[in-house]
């Protein structure tokens, strides 16, 4: 079989945007190498953006969430089922919010073959089957994560460039994305799409599976290689190459998306029997200087954007530190079983900022928290930008074991229009002599701090910190706290943005 160029493959992809699928434009199999998807992204960036086929027939375009869930894939038809490979793949049907057509391929012996759409593989009810070239919306990966011989869903790719995963004993919670563009921009956010996936058939007994993805948007294209290793800490090794079509000044690399509704530090106006409702309760950042930052999340009245300037960060992520069922008292949602997600850069990323975006919400069904890395320099057309990083989906990120962590932040009213803050700090390796208290290094960029206290907490074996903030006329106050022994920090750095 004659090798086809990346440009010819791009022409086939463009054809799919007008409703003609890859399978109709090329042989049933074609060569595939480690550079195939990167070449596709490079060539695709040279042409104007063309949106993928998103038209849905009646019965699929007007679905709500519950109706969409009835479009079930038959597990007996899963990719690699019966092949004793450990991994299996099940497919998502197009419909509801998931209208764009996504092309899927299986890679075997360095050849890629299309995974054809088959309406008989889905429970469609009384809906007429779509045409044979209808395509899919995404896929999910199954693996015996919790019990030997029992397949669990460990990862899924569905909608725009969203994907999510779990570690052992966890349920789905927050999501990651391939690329974010213009998040919180007044002109509106741009949501890049995964246009196609290539799933490498694993070897028998393999503990990982490789997925390649092609991303496309009006501003940029990108290629991704995900090596997925399920476990107690499910790991995605990510190799990404971004190819801008235009100058991109507001890119978000390794974006994370989560939900935060309320918690003990932030429940003004909440009338709810539960103690907390969130998929994540804080942003954690490990700087190149060795500092560990903890920033509790907030459901603000107005959109809030926080920036943490850094050069070559060691890691950042959205954490779910509250792990006890009693923290939430929600037997159905089981928020204590939602994963934390940690981004570990493998190579130097240079100067930039970790950005945290907090969007107001009045319920728990909307993701309203976004965090990502924004490079300092714009991405320019004609250039390629490589990012290598590792995603850790796990219950708790230990961070620097030498430093104690702020595991609980509570806030309430205090006399004189003040706010009382109560913080619990546990862990770390520093032995504080009996009769000695750590020094509280506490500051506020506005307002006034009153009555700061540090005391031992016999219930946790750690420390209790409490103080009052008198904001005065300030509508926003940035707070910072760290425990020290002499001049040496013995805790991570607690940052908090209070808003009126």
């Amino acid at each position: 079989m004659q090798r086809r160029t990346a440009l010819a493959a791009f022409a086939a992809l463009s054809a799919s945007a007008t409703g003609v699928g890859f399978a109709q434009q090329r042989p049933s199999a074609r060569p595939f190498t480690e550079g195939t998807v990167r070449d596709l992204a490079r060539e695709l960036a040279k042409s104007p953006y063309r949106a993928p086929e998103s038209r849905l027939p009646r019965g699929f375009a007007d679905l709500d969430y519950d109706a969409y869930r009835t479009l079930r894939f038959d597990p007996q038809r899963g990719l690699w089922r019966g092949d004793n490979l450990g991994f299996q793949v099940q497919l998502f049907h197009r419909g509801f919010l998931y209208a764009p057509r996504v092309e899927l391929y299986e890679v075997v012996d360095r050849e890629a073959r299309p995974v054809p759409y088959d309406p008989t593989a889905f429970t469609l009810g009384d809906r007429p089957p779509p045409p044979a070239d209808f395509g899919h919306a995404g896929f999910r990966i199954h693996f015996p994560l919790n019990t030997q011989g029992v397949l669990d869903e460990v990862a899924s790719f569905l909608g725009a460039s969203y994907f999510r995963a779990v570690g052992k004993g966890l349920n789905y919670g927050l999501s990651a994305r391939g690329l974010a563009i213009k998040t919180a921009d007044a002109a509106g956010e741009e949501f890049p799409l995964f246009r196609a996936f290539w799933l490498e058939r694993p070897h028998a007994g393999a503990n990982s599976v490789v997925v390649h993805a092609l991303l496309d948007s009006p501003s940029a294209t990108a290629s991704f290689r995900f090596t997925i290793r399920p476990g107690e800490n499910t790991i995605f090794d990510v190799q990404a190459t971004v190819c801008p079509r235009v100058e991109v000044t507001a890119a978000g690399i390794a974006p994370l998306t989560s939900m935060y509704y309320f918690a003990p530090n932030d429940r003004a106006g909440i009338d709810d029997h539960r103690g907390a409702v969130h998929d994540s309760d804080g942003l954690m950042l490990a700087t190149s200087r060795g500092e560990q930052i903890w920033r509790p999340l907030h459901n603000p009245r107005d959109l809030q954007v926080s920036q943490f300037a850094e050069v070559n960060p060691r890691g950042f992520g959205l954490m779910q530190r509250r792990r006890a069922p009693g923290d939430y008292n929600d037997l159905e949602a089981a928020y204590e079983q939602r994963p934390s997600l940690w981004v570990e850069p493998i190579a130097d990323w240079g100067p930039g900022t970790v950005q945290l975006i907090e969007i107001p919400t009045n319920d728990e069904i909307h993701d309203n928290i976004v965090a990502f890395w924004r490079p300092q320099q714009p991405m320019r057309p004609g250039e390629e930008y490589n990012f290598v990083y590792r995603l850790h989906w796990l219950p708790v990120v230990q961070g620097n074991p030498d430093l104690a962590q702020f595991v609980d932040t509570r806030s309430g009213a205090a006399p004189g229009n003040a706010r009382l803050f109560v913080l619990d700090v546990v862990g770390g390796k520093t032995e504080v002599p009996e009769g000695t208290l750590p020094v509280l290094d506490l500051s506020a960029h506005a307002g006034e701090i009153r009555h700061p206290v540090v005391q031992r907490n016999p219930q946790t074996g750690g420390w209790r910190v409490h103080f009052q903030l008198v904001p005065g006329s300030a509508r926003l106050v940035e707070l910072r706290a760290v425990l020290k022994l002499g001049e040496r920090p013995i805790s991570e750095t607690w940052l908090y943005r209070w808003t009126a």
Side-chain angles (χ1 to χ4, degrees):
M1 181 177 63
Q2 183 178 5
R3 178 181 293 274
R4 301 180 69 192
T5 65
L7 186 59
F10 159 62
L13 177 59
S14 296
S16 75
T18 62
V20 181
F22 279 175
Q24 293 177 301
Q25 291 291 310
R26 63 176 191 170
S28 60
R30 56 172 303 161
F32 184 90
T33 70
E34 287 293 325
T36 294
V37 184
R38 185 175 61 250
D39 291 341
L40 279 168
R42 183 182 296 131
E43 294 297 331
L44 192 58
K46 297 176 183 178
S47 300
Y49 174 72
R50 298 180 67 184
E53 168 59 47
S54 298
R55 292 171 295 180
L56 295 172
R58 181 181 299 179
F60 297 93
D62 53 355
L63 300 178
D64 60 17
Y65 174 74
D66 290 330
Y68 176 72
R69 285 166 57 92
T70 67
L71 303 179
R72 297 187 182 92
F73 181 78
D74 182 0
Q76 302 298 320
R77 306 286 294 276
L79 188 65
W80 307 328
R81 179 174 176 80
D83 295 338
N84 196 29
L85 301 179
F87 292 90
Q88 290 185 26
V89 174
Q90 298 183 18
L91 310 179
F92 288 112
H93 203 280
R94 292 172 61 194
F96 182 43
L97 300 177
Y98 312 112
R101 174 195 177 115
V102 175
E103 305 287 348
L104 300 179
Y105 302 89
E106 181 189 16
V107 177
V108 182
D109 296 330
R110 301 178 69 84
E111 286 191 335
R113 298 178 182 272
V115 178
Y117 169 75
D118 184 351
T120 67
F122 295 88
T123 300
L124 301 181
D126 58 359
R127 302 175 185 89
D133 64 347
F134 190 63
H136 301 96
F139 64 96
R140 54 194 179 195
I141 299 172
H142 294 249
F143 181 83
L145 182 64
N146 297 296
T147 303
Q148 186 67 30
V150 178
L151 292 178
D152 303 295
E153 185 176 337
V154 298
S156 69
F157 292 76
L158 179 66
S161 68
Y162 287 89
F163 58 96
R164 56 184 182 168
V166 293
K168 186 176 181 179
L170 299 177
N171 299 328
Y172 278 143
L174 78 170
S175 301
R177 281 191 275 171
L179 184 66
I181 298 179
K182 300 179 182 178
T183 306
D185 192 294
E189 183 170 2
E190 180 177 312
F191 287 91
L193 306 171
F194 282 138
R195 296 287 297 270
F197 293 95
W198 291 258
L199 290 78
E200 292 191 17
R201 179 185 176 92
H203 299 292
N207 63 358
S208 66
V209 64
V210 175
V211 175
H212 304 260
L214 176 65
L215 179 143
D216 195 14
S217 83
S219 297
T221 68
S223 65
F224 289 82
R225 185 185 192 274
F226 302 98
T227 302
I228 302 171
R229 297 181 175 87
E232 292 192 16
N233 172 12
T234 290
I235 294 174
F236 284 43
D237 286 323
V238 185
Q239 301 174 30
T241 299
V242 180
C243 305
R245 282 192 169 96
V246 299
E247 183 173 274
V248 180
T249 59
I253 305 301
L256 316 178
T257 301
S258 191
M259 180 277 294
Y260 177 93
Y261 184 25
F262 69 88
N265 64 295
D266 176 26
R267 54 178 304 138
I270 298 296
D271 186 10
D272 197 299
H273 73 280
R274 296 168 294 180
V277 173
H278 50 69
D279 286 337
S280 306
D281 56 6
L283 171 73
M284 182 170 151
L285 168 62
T287 74
S288 58
R289 305 176 301 279
E291 183 180 21
Q292 183 168 295
I293 292 172
W294 175 249
R295 166 65 152 76
L297 297 179
H298 185 51
N299 181 3
R301 177 172 296 182
D302 302 303
L303 174 72
Q304 298 292 319
V305 179
S306 303
Q307 302 185 58
F308 307 88
E310 181 60 18
V311 178
N312 299 324
R314 295 181 182 177
F316 68 92
L318 293 175
M319 304 292 105
Q320 185 78 319
R321 281 190 175 174
R322 292 184 177 91
R323 308 308 305 186
D327 292 333
Y328 306 95
N329 287 309
D330 192 325
L331 297 179
E332 182 178 356
Y335 288 110
E336 71 277 3
Q337 297 176 12
R338 307 297 171 99
S340 299
L341 179 50
W342 182 248
V343 180
E344 177 192 359
I346 301 301
D348 289 346
W349 283 7
T353 57
V354 173
Q355 296 207 359
L356 172 67
I357 297 168
E358 296 164 302
I359 304 168
T361 186
N362 57 6
D363 56 45
E364 61 195 279
I365 63 172
H366 300 296
D367 285 343
N368 63 319
I369 303 296
V370 183
F372 52 74
W373 170 257
R374 176 161 291 174
Q376 184 180 84
Q377 298 299 320
M379 295 184 179
R380 295 183 169 85
E383 302 290 333
E384 294 182 9
Y385 300 86
N386 297 302
F387 299 92
V388 181
Y389 54 97
R390 184 168 289 149
L391 298 176
H392 299 263
W393 310 78
L394 71 171
V396 177
V397 176
Q398 182 180 20
N400 185 342
D402 293 332
L403 298 177
Q405 294 188 351
F406 289 84
V407 297
D408 202 7
T409 298
R410 296 175 181 270
S411 179
N417 294 320
R419 296 297 300 176
L420 173 65
F421 285 86
V422 180
L423 318 177
D424 280 323
V425 192
V426 300
K429 293 185 177 180
T430 300
E431 292 291 337
V432 179
E434 191 69 30
T436 301
L437 292 175
V439 174
L440 174 61
D441 185 348
L442 175 64
S443 62
H445 96 291
E448 178 187 356
I449 297 292
R450 293 180 181 173
H451 314 305
V453 175
V454 179
Q455 61 187 117
R456 290 186 181 271
N457 185 340
Q459 296 179 349
T460 65
W463 307 96
R464 169 68 59 88
V465 174
H466 52 90
F467 63 90
Q468 292 183 16
L469 167 68
V470 183
S473 61
R475 307 294 295 173
L476 182 152
V477 180
E478 298 283 2
L479 297 164
R480 180 183 184 276
V482 61
L483 290 180
K484 294 182 176 181
L485 199 60
E487 293 300 316
R488 179 168 61 92
I490 65 170
S491 77
E492 63 187 0
T493 301
W494 176 87
L495 301 179
Y496 194 86
R497 174 177 289 183
W498 174 88
T499 57

